Amino acid sequence: LNMMGPGGGMMEGMKNNMMFMFSNMIMIGWISHFFSGFVLVKVPFPLTFRFKDMLQRGIDLSSLDPSYVSTLSWYFIVMFGLRGVMGLVLGDSSAMMDETRMMQMQMGMAGGAAAM
């Protein structure tokens, strides 16, 4: 309950989320502006043509193999695949909040057991 008060953990969590969103918006704008239409990676396994629209954003070549990935699509793959690393770099407070909540629950349970 104390986290909801002024200066509580909820405001800190919102600040971290806003910072994460803001940094991603800047990076995605920068990547789409400077690297639009570039092929960056070829995945080492064959893909069907259903993946072509998803993996080749900004590239309008019908003859290009779906295994080639554009820079913008690669950014999304890496961003969602490395969310844990980004949390470490930008400071993930949710793990700390979970530990604090768990500790408070344990203290409450211990206090209830001692009262009996």
Side-chain angles (χ1 to χ4, degrees):
L1 293 174
N2 195 14
M3 293 187 328
M4 295 177 121
M10 292 183 83
M11 190 61 153
E12 189 66 32
M14 185 174 290
K15 286 180 188 176
N16 286 340
N17 283 338
M18 291 299 290
M19 189 63 175
F20 184 73
M21 282 187 350
F22 185 68
S23 66
N24 279 330
M25 287 182 352
I26 289 174
M27 284 195 305
I28 202 167
W30 185 78
I31 287 171
S32 65
H33 178 74
F34 287 109
F35 298 107
S36 179
F38 283 89
V39 173
L40 183 66
V41 177
K42 182 180 188 303
V43 292
F45 45 86
L47 294 171
T48 62
F49 278 94
R50 288 184 179 176
F51 291 99
K52 190 169 179 63
D53 289 336
M54 182 174 61
L55 295 176
Q56 295 179 357
R57 286 276 174 214
I59 299 173
D60 297 327
L61 291 174
S62 59
S63 62
L64 188 62
D65 184 36
S67 298
Y68 290 95
V69 181
S70 70
T71 53
L72 190 58
S73 298
W74 184 251
Y75 172 77
F76 281 115
I77 291 169
V78 170
M79 183 181 75
F80 290 119
L82 296 177
R83 186 173 294 275
V85 175
M86 291 294 281
L88 288 173
V89 171
L90 294 176
D92 185 22
S93 67
S94 64
M96 201 173 358
M97 297 281 282
D98 289 340
E99 289 178 6
T100 305
R101 211 173 292 132
M102 191 180 296
M103 195 177 225
Q104 287 174 347
M105 286 176 54
Q106 288 175 352
M107 294 297 281
M109 292 173 122
M116 291 183 133

